């Protein structure tokens, strides 16, 4: 390769010198040479693209709160669930039923009140653990599907001492997602293309009692997608098919629009176009098992045996949905359905209490992921008795990639000295002269 480059340089230098001689003969009174023509140019040298990678800790959580509003006493439960002292870099929280699923809320206009209250409480929990005064930078959920975070921080936000910043929030009826990022990361990385999308696939296939809300963003040069979902309920045979269909609809209908400013750096339009994807929520998959047998295995804490009858595990195994996706080992009790609030007892059973729903316990609340560079550190449930579901969480170590622009050596412009021109005229050691110029400039 070096010999070829030297040969090329020699030939190019010879052509340049011959052109110059002809030009000088045609115009002997020429005082100054044109810089672009007179200077000899060596080919541009290019270094390899520099790629660096960092790891972030991402906390992903899901909780069906059964239509209940957040109250002050719930702050203790949130501390136990979020474990803010462990200080994840990013908190991605999905909620279901933050409002009761009745006709007025499903059909009526969106009311941001409950989402705002949840954001206030989450922000307070994450930031007060570090002794910082709490002032939320953005407490209202995003309602515009074309929302685009531009990376600018207002003067009010710059004066705040809160450790975590709310990057995105989206509500659709009772499904709600809230994404918080450590403020240092916002300054350190290029966090861009923050967009949201909602897909309603409940009643008649298009009402928002069931469906998903999603957040798409890029951290450095890695694209992320977070999907919080609430799928069809029911434990009758065939109900899992309705859930599978809704998963397919969410994949098909979730779309993140592009803006004119996105031309320079295209961002994924669909869920599967992203590099790191997390799907979580009340997915409502049940157990292919009679109630009394399920309760016996729960009593024995035989989670391995119980998982063999889990609908979602079977769908993952046989490719019904989420083909190629992953879920960590479940080493905790089913999260649904608990009896009356403040109870550690599952609803139903024998003998059942009057007016109590008969439900076989199941792992309805799940967290799945897809993509390279994702390592799950833990998968657990919390013990809040706030609703008939227990919160579920997973902590991940995520690799992000940061690519620096190609670094190019500038084109080297060389004007031969008078001595070197004489050497060229005499044909003395052209290759040697070319090499000496190259070494000197480099």
């Amino acid at each position: 390769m070096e010999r070829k480059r030297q040969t090329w340089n020699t030939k190019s230098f010879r052509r340049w010198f011959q052109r110059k001689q002809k030009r000088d003969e045609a115009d002997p009174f020429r005082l100054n040479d044109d810089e672009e023509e007179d200077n000899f140019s060596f080919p541009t040298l290019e270094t390899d693209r520099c790629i660096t990678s960092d790891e972030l800790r991402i906390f992903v959580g899901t909780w069906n709160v059964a239509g209940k509003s957040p109250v002050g006493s719930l702050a203790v439960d949130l501390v136990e669930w979020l474990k803010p002292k462990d200080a994840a870099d990013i908190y991605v929280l999905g909620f279901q039923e933050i409002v009761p699923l009745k006709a007025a809320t499903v059909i009526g206009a969106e009311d941001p009140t409950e989402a705002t209250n949840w954001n206030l409480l989450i922000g307070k929990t994450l930031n007060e653990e570090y002794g910082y005064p709490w002032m939320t930078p953005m407490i209202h959920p995003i309602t515009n599907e074309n929302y685009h975070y531009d990376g600018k921080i207002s003067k009010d936000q710059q004066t705040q001492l809160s450790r975590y910043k709310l990057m995105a929030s989206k509500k659709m009826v009772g499904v709600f997602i809230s994404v918080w990022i450590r403020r240092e990361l916002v300054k350190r990385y290029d966090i861009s293309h923050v967009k949201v999308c909602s897909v309603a696939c409940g009643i008649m296939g298009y009402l928002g009692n069931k469906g998903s809300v999603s957040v798409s963003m890029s951290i450095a040069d890695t694209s992320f997608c977070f999907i919080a979902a609430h799928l069809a309920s029911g434990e009758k045979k065939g109900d899992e098919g309705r859930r599978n269909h809704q998963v397919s609809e969410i994949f098909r209908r979730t779309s993140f629009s592009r803006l004119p400013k996105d031309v320079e750096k295209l961002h994924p339009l669909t869920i599967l176009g992203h590099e790191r994807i997390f799907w979580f929520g009340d997915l409502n998959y049940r157990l292919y098992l009679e109630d009394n047998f399920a309760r016996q295995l729960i009593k024995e804490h035989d989670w391995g045996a119980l998982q063999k009858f889990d609908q979602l595990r079977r769908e993952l195994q046989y490719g019904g949905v989420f083909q190629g996706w992953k879920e960590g080992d479940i080493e905790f009790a089913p999260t649904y359905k608990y009896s009356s609030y403040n109870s550690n007892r599952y609803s139903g059973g024998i003998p059942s209490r009057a007016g109590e729903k008969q439900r076989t316990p199941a792992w309805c609340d799940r967290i799945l992921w897809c993509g390279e560079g994702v390592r799950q550190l833990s998968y657990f449930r919390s013990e809040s008795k706030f609703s008939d579901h227990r919160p579920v969480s997973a902590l991940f170590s995520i690799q992000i990639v940061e690519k620096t622009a190609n670094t190019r050596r500038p084109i080297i412009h060389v004007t031969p000295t008078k001595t070197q021109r004489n050497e060229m005229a005499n044909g003395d050691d052209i290759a040697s002269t070319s090499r000496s110029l190259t070494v000197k400039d480099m």
Side-chain angles (χ1 to χ4, degrees):
M1 180 63 72
E2 182 64 23
R3 183 178 299 276
K4 289 182 179 179
R5 183 179 290 120
Q6 292 171 1
T7 303
W8 189 95
N9 290 337
T10 300
K11 292 179 179 178
S12 297
F13 212 125
R14 189 194 303 276
R15 287 195 297 269
W16 166 81
F17 193 80
Q18 290 173 348
R19 287 197 304 270
K20 175 155 180 57
Q21 278 187 318
K22 292 180 180 179
R23 190 168 59 242
D24 290 344
E25 291 173 359
D27 186 6
F29 300 102
R30 182 187 181 115
L31 296 177
N32 296 313
D33 293 332
D34 181 82
E35 183 177 346
E36 290 186 0
E37 294 184 8
D38 257 7
N39 290 347
F40 173 75
S41 299
F42 289 100
T44 301
L45 302 179
E46 179 178 302
T47 62
D48 293 335
R49 171 168 291 194
C50 180
I51 300 177
T52 59
S53 63
D54 289 331
E55 287 197 356
L56 300 179
R57 287 162 60 92
I58 298 185
F59 179 102
V60 179
T62 179
W63 195 4
N64 185 319
V65 294
K68 297 183 67 177
S69 298
V71 294
S73 60
L74 184 61
V76 176
D77 293 14
L78 281 186
V79 170
E80 193 271 333
W81 178 36
L82 303 181
K83 297 177 172 48
K85 287 186 177 179
D86 292 343
D89 297 305
I90 301 174
Y91 285 85
V92 183
L93 308 178
F95 295 84
Q96 303 80 42
E97 297 188 43
I98 65 169
V99 296
L101 299 184
K102 54 187 181 181
T105 56
V106 174
I107 302 175
E110 284 286 354
D111 183 353
T113 303
E114 294 304 325
T116 298
N117 292 337
W118 277 105
N119 277 337
L120 284 169
L121 187 56
I122 293 166
K124 187 173 187 294
T125 301
L126 290 177
N127 289 290
E128 282 193 347
E129 281 295 308
Y130 300 95
Y132 296 138
W134 165 242
M135 291 178 64
T136 180
M138 181 180 67
I139 61 175
H140 298 295
I142 299 165
T143 56
N144 183 3
E145 298 290 324
N146 295 322
Y147 166 73
H148 180 83
Y149 173 68
D150 59 9
K152 296 179 181 178
I153 301 176
S154 68
K155 292 182 179 179
D156 292 338
Q157 293 170 350
Q158 291 173 356
T159 60
Q160 294 169 18
L161 299 177
S162 55
R163 183 167 187 178
Y164 288 91
K165 173 182 174 62
L166 179 58
M167 291 298 296
S169 174
K170 175 66 177 174
K171 172 185 177 294
M172 182 191 70
V173 187
V175 188
F176 172 58
I177 189 170
S178 186
V179 179
W180 299 75
I181 298 182
R182 218 158 31 92
R183 192 170 291 277
E184 303 95 286
L185 297 182
V186 178
K187 297 178 180 179
R188 177 178 176 183
Y189 295 109
D190 176 22
I191 299 179
S192 59
H193 301 93
V194 182
K195 300 176 182 179
V196 297
C197 179
S198 61
V199 173
C201 51
I203 300 172
M204 297 183 293
Y206 284 95
L207 290 186
N209 60 309
K210 294 293 188 289
S212 68
V213 288
S214 306
V215 171
S216 171
M217 66 172 61
S218 287
I219 302 176
D221 288 285
T222 304
S223 58
F224 288 82
C225 189
F226 305 104
I227 306 101
H230 192 186
L231 303 182
S233 60
E235 56 184 8
K236 299 188 301 295
K237 184 177 180 180
D239 284 340
E240 68 276 16
R242 293 194 298 131
R243 293 185 270 274
N244 290 354
H245 175 72
Q246 289 178 347
V247 169
S248 299
E249 283 294 288
I250 292 170
F251 274 120
R252 184 178 67 86
R253 291 162 51 192
T254 299
S255 177
F256 302 101
S257 60
R258 283 180 180 160
L259 302 177
K261 64 178 69 174
D262 298 337
V263 173
E264 294 182 0
K265 184 178 179 182
L266 294 181
H267 191 71
L269 296 175
T270 63
I271 292 175
L272 294 176
H274 293 76
E275 295 165 290
R276 314 281 188 267
I277 314 171
F278 299 86
W279 187 304
F280 47 98
D282 180 1
L283 307 188
N284 256 321
Y285 286 94
R286 308 304 174 90
L287 297 174
Y288 292 116
L289 192 62
E290 292 184 11
D291 184 77
N292 58 328
F293 290 134
R295 292 175 188 267
Q296 181 60 35
L297 291 175
I298 293 171
K299 185 177 180 180
E300 297 171 0
H301 289 194
D302 194 346
W303 314 134
L306 199 62
Q307 284 183 64
K308 294 179 181 178
F309 301 95
D310 177 68
Q311 289 181 350
L312 182 54
R313 283 293 166 111
R314 290 197 178 185
E315 295 298 328
L316 287 169
Q317 181 179 356
Y318 296 112
V321 287
F322 297 111
Q323 189 169 6
W325 287 59
K326 300 176 183 178
E327 182 186 24
D329 289 333
I330 301 177
E331 298 179 352
F332 50 83
T335 54
Y336 175 83
K337 170 180 173 55
Y338 281 88
S339 187
S340 58
Y341 304 127
N342 294 320
S343 172
N344 282 323
R345 187 179 65 82
Y346 289 108
S347 178
I350 301 175
S352 60
R353 297 185 180 182
E356 194 172 70
K357 292 183 178 180
Q358 183 70 33
R359 294 289 186 271
T360 300
W363 287 296
C364 290
D365 310 280
R366 312 290 278 269
I367 300 172
L368 310 175
W369 78 90
C370 179
E372 300 296 327
V374 179
R375 181 166 56 95
Q376 189 180 69
L377 304 177
S378 60
Y379 194 23
F380 57 95
R381 73 173 224 171
S382 299
E383 299 306 320
S384 171
K385 301 174 184 177
F386 183 71
S387 82
D388 55 351
H389 288 250
R390 294 293 189 260
V392 172
S393 315
L395 185 64
F396 297 93
S397 175
I398 311 295
Q399 187 179 66
I400 63 169
V401 176
E402 195 167 13
K403 302 174 185 176
T404 60
N406 285 347
T407 55
R408 296 178 178 268
R409 297 181 186 272
I411 294 177
I412 302 173
H413 297 287
V414 180
T415 302
T417 64
K418 183 177 180 179
T419 302
Q420 291 167 342
R421 295 188 187 190
N422 291 335
E423 290 177 350
M424 291 293 295
N426 297 327
D428 295 335
D429 196 5
I430 296 176
S432 176
T433 304
S434 177
R435 284 196 298 272
S436 68
L437 290 172
T438 304
V439 172
K440 180 181 177 182
D441 239 294
M442 290 181 62

